[in-house]
Amino acid sequence: MSRQFNRRKFLIYGSASIGGSFLLKACANNSPTATESPSASSPTATSSGDTIKVGILHSLSGTMAISEKSVVDAEQLAIKEINSGGGVLGKQIVSIVEDGASNWDTFREKATKLIEQDQTAVIFGCWTSASRKNVKPVFESKNHMLWYPVQYEGQECSKNIFYTGAAPNQQIEPSVDWLLKNKGKQFFLVGSDYVFPRTANTIIKAQLQALGGTTVAEDYLPLGNVEVTPIISKIKQALPNGGVIYNTLNGDSNVAFFKQLKGAGLTADKYPSMSVSIAEEEVKAIGVEYLQGHYAAWNYFQTVDTPANKKFVEAFKKEYGAERVINDPMEAAYIAVYLWKQAVEKAGTTDLDKVRVAAYGQTIDAPEGKVTMNTNNHLSKIVRIGQVRQDGLFDIVYATPGAVDPIPWNQFVKETQGFSCDWSDPAKGGKYKQV
């Protein structure tokens, strides 16, 4: 498997026929590039007396750019708002933006540069699990700090990473519970062939076994593969009378999959799918006509009805264009900047060890609802399930009554049952056995 692909290979090939080129154009508007941002050698960036340098590390080119540019937009909006309000500790934030170029080795190189050469106070970045896992040793060996904004497969708890996306118990597990209660007990699992879908499906299979559901079949496609006809045939054979499709496919495979799913007559009323990597931007790019009626699980949808979200959506569209849509990773990236700001102000310094301790217990009235940073470096978050509607946004059909506390080490998987994480206690750290 190519090192260039993991977690979410997004919609590039064939996008002209489904409107992806429009989305790409929209995502490119006002998106910063490394050359447009202040460099370490500029007077602004080196004026340490009245500025704080932060790193932004996402893919501005390559396969993942169409997703990650929007995350950069959200982070830059937060920085602009914070600076307009007086900055952090009375200092203005200067962002140094680097391009991971959808290459996991490049992510590691750029992370090293931002830490050693640019001497940033913090880095906001990554999207795929591959990019995160490739930079993780850099942050740990240099005792630096990464804020990571995307839902992921769990089974990790680093002292040097703050995870503002969902852990599996805040996305995958609640969505399986909801499907079992509302859509059926027979599941066909389809995913791309790499770490995130395989780990997710390991969790789902264990959960179904524990709760009385059935995994009728499980199939994978190599990332970028659009030969979905055999999978469609297997679904029809395994679920002749209908059933649940749990979808962890990514990128181009989703375009072919949902087109052929509809073409084969496997409609959402009898074959509802639940996706954990399809959000507002993906719906727009794939085509609403193929996804309407299907489901996705996230913590945030653009349609969340909170005062904070209305303000966020209005500010984002004013900054980047009324046609833009906002998704969960963008919101998680936006609030990460604010949570870091609050931790710095509580610590009274940008010293990394002091900021890390100060981050614990930080809360924010986020667009998604109130979130709280736990001592396992993950956020407590509301879980939501949305159904794709005609305009490409999501009707929220389920939400937990309150925030769900994160569990990085999965309790359905035998190997990690009983394990937890607590960085406030050196004797416990990133993985310890609960009594």
Side-chain angles (χ1 to χ4, degrees):
M1 182 173 65
S2 169
R3 294 180 64 86
Q4 297 296 314
F5 298 90
N6 208 314
R7 185 96 181 270
R8 285 190 183 86
K9 180 177 181 296
F10 204 71
L11 310 169
I12 299 293
Y13 309 106
S15 61
S17 64
I18 61 167
S21 59
F22 173 78
L23 177 57
L24 179 59
K25 181 180 179 181
C27 289
N29 289 342
N30 298 311
S31 296
T33 66
T35 55
E36 291 171 347
S37 300
S39 68
S41 60
S42 71
T44 303
T46 55
S47 299
S48 57
D50 56 5
T51 62
I52 297 175
K53 292 184 289 184
V54 305
I56 292 179
L57 178 56
H58 292 288
S59 295
L60 304 177
S61 61
T63 298
M64 292 305 303
I66 197 168
S67 267
E68 294 193 62
K69 281 184 177 180
S70 293
V71 176
V72 175
D73 289 344
E75 290 161 346
Q76 293 284 44
L77 176 62
I79 290 170
K80 181 177 180 179
E81 291 175 348
I82 291 168
N83 282 340
S84 296
V88 181
L89 300 178
K91 300 182 179 183
Q92 294 287 287
I93 303 171
V94 175
S95 60
I96 302 176
V97 184
E98 289 291 350
D99 182 7
S102 305
N103 180 288
W104 322 141
D105 291 333
T106 302
F107 267 92
R108 185 176 62 247
E109 294 165 6
K110 295 296 186 180
T112 302
K113 172 190 175 291
L114 287 167
I115 294 169
E116 293 185 346
Q117 181 178 324
D118 299 318
Q119 297 185 341
T120 55
V122 65
I123 296 173
F124 304 96
C126 297
W127 178 296
T128 65
S129 290
S131 62
R132 186 192 72 253
K133 286 185 177 295
N134 232 27
V135 303
K136 179 172 170 280
V138 176
F139 284 89
E140 291 177 343
S141 65
K142 300 183 183 302
N143 194 30
H144 211 269
M145 183 181 291
L146 171 69
W147 289 73
Y148 175 69
V150 187
Q151 56 90 349
Y152 80 121
E153 69 280 358
Q155 309 299 64
E156 177 180 303
C157 186
S158 173
K159 182 178 74 170
N160 299 89
I161 301 175
F162 283 91
Y163 308 77
T164 60
N169 76 300
Q170 298 169 311
Q171 185 194 37
I172 294 169
E173 294 172 31
S175 67
V176 170
D177 286 340
W178 185 86
L179 289 166
L180 285 169
K181 294 174 183 175
N182 295 280
K183 296 297 174 180
K185 296 185 180 296
Q186 293 187 310
F187 283 53
F188 190 106
L189 310 183
V190 55
S192 299
D193 192 6
Y194 70 98
V195 61
F196 173 66
R198 285 195 174 273
T199 305
N201 285 340
T202 296
I203 293 168
I204 292 167
K205 287 184 291 184
Q207 186 177 357
L208 289 175
Q209 185 176 12
L211 301 179
T214 303
T215 304
V216 298
E218 177 182 8
D219 209 347
Y220 296 90
L221 278 178
L223 279 160
N225 191 310
V226 296
E227 298 295 329
V228 299
T229 302
I231 290 182
I232 301 296
S233 298
K234 290 177 184 178
I235 292 173
K236 293 173 71 174
Q237 183 177 1
L239 296 170
N241 300 313
V244 174
I245 300 168
Y246 205 100
N247 172 41
T248 52
L249 288 170
N250 286 268
D252 303 349
S253 302
N254 271 315
V255 181
F257 179 71
F258 280 101
K259 281 186 175 181
Q260 291 195 34
L261 198 68
K262 183 177 180 180
L266 307 185
T267 52
D269 56 339
K270 287 187 65 177
Y271 293 87
S273 71
M274 179 70 72
S275 298
V276 290
S277 294
I278 290 179
E280 287 84 346
E281 285 199 324
E282 288 86 346
V283 172
K284 187 176 181 181
I286 294 171
V288 178
E289 63 271 28
Y290 302 111
L291 285 161
Q292 188 174 351
H294 289 287
Y295 300 90
W298 293 99
N299 308 110
Y300 170 87
F301 292 102
Q302 187 176 310
T303 48
V304 167
D305 186 15
T306 65
N309 188 45
K310 290 176 182 177
K311 181 180 177 182
F312 173 50
V313 172
E314 182 180 348
F316 188 89
K317 288 179 176 289
K318 181 179 179 181
E319 185 74 14
Y320 298 112
E323 78 284 357
R324 295 289 296 276
V325 292
I326 304 170
N327 63 25
D328 184 286
M330 293 162 66
E331 190 263 358
Y334 175 81
I335 65 175
V337 183
Y338 275 97
L339 287 163
W340 167 80
K341 168 189 180 289
Q342 290 181 186
V344 170
E345 290 177 337
K346 180 180 178 181
T349 177
T350 57
D351 178 85
L352 288 162
D353 289 326
K354 293 180 180 178
V355 172
R356 183 180 299 111
V357 173
Y360 300 138
Q362 289 297 327
T363 64
I364 188 172
D365 183 19
E368 67 184 83
K370 183 180 177 181
V371 299
T372 304
M373 182 57 68
N374 291 257
T375 56
N376 60 17
N377 289 23
H378 293 68
L379 287 176
S380 296
K381 300 163 75 75
I382 293 173
V383 180
R384 294 181 171 92
I385 293 172
Q387 185 176 30
V388 181
R389 66 192 196 190
Q390 191 173 7
D391 63 356
L393 298 179
F394 287 83
D395 278 328
I396 299 169
V397 298
Y398 169 79
T400 54
V404 175
D405 290 337
I407 304 175
W409 299 109
N410 193 265
Q411 302 305 297
F412 283 105
V413 177
K414 184 178 180 180
E415 291 76 15
T416 52
Q417 283 176 351
F419 284 95
S420 190
C421 169
D422 184 353
W423 285 110
S424 68
D425 184 347
K428 294 178 178 178
K431 189 176 183 182
Y432 71 94
K433 189 74 173 180
Q434 294 175 300
V435 178

